[in-house]
Amino acid sequence: MHYIDINAYSRKWIFTHASMPVPADDLAQIKPLTQARSATLWREHISAQSPDADHFGSGDWPNQDKNWIEKTDWQTAWDGDDPALPEALAEFLTWEDNTPVYFCYEKYNLIETTWAVFQRHWKNFLFFDDGPLLIAKKKTQAVWFQSDGTCRFGHRE
């Protein structure tokens, strides 16, 4: 099995916090991956050497400026009352609602969900903003969220 039960997930509270609770139907579609599965996907799609965004090396695609098209602010939208994804990201990520996406906090902590669920609850995912990446396995587009309230978006190799 590739998933751990959401109730056993150490960061479950980001999806059940009183200020932004995720409805049960959507919560069931937020699937934390086991450490082993997380590590495999991280190695295959993010980095074979670096355990997290703070340690990306020159050979890691996220650390190469050529892969990034634009930088935009996400913090202002996160702080606001509108639940919508920041406009620049919504325009860039034109994935189908049922596209499986991976929110990658670090090598041993990835979450799988659908694009539709992520769009509805992106603010929950960003309670932890220490360099997570958003990718879809069969798509090249990627978003790298920074703790300074900005994110970079572009294409991964």
Side-chain angles (χ1 to χ4, degrees), residues 8 22 24 40 45 67 151:
V22 173
T40 297
H45 300 285
N67 294 321
C151 61

Side-chain angles (χ1 to χ4, degrees), residues 43-87:
R43 270 191 313 275
E44 291 173 357
H45 300 285
I46 307 294
S47 173
Q49 297 86 19
S50 306
D52 56 44
D54 290 337
H55 296 95
F56 286 143
S58 59
D60 294 323
W61 70 263
N63 210 31
Q64 298 174 14
D65 287 338
K66 68 178 182 167
N67 294 321
W68 302 108
I69 298 168
E70 193 172 330
K71 188 174 189 175
T72 193
D73 174 78
W74 64 263
Q75 185 73 50
T76 302
W78 194 90
D79 289 335
D81 293 331
D82 186 351
L85 196 64
E87 187 176 332

Side-chain angles (χ1 to χ4, degrees), residues 17 20 38 65 77 79 138 143 150:
H17 193 273
M20 292 190 297
S38 291
D65 287 338
D79 289 335
K138 296 182 179 181
V143 179
T150 64

Side-chain angles (χ1 to χ4, degrees), residues 57 80 84 99 104 126:
T99 300
C104 310
L126 283 167

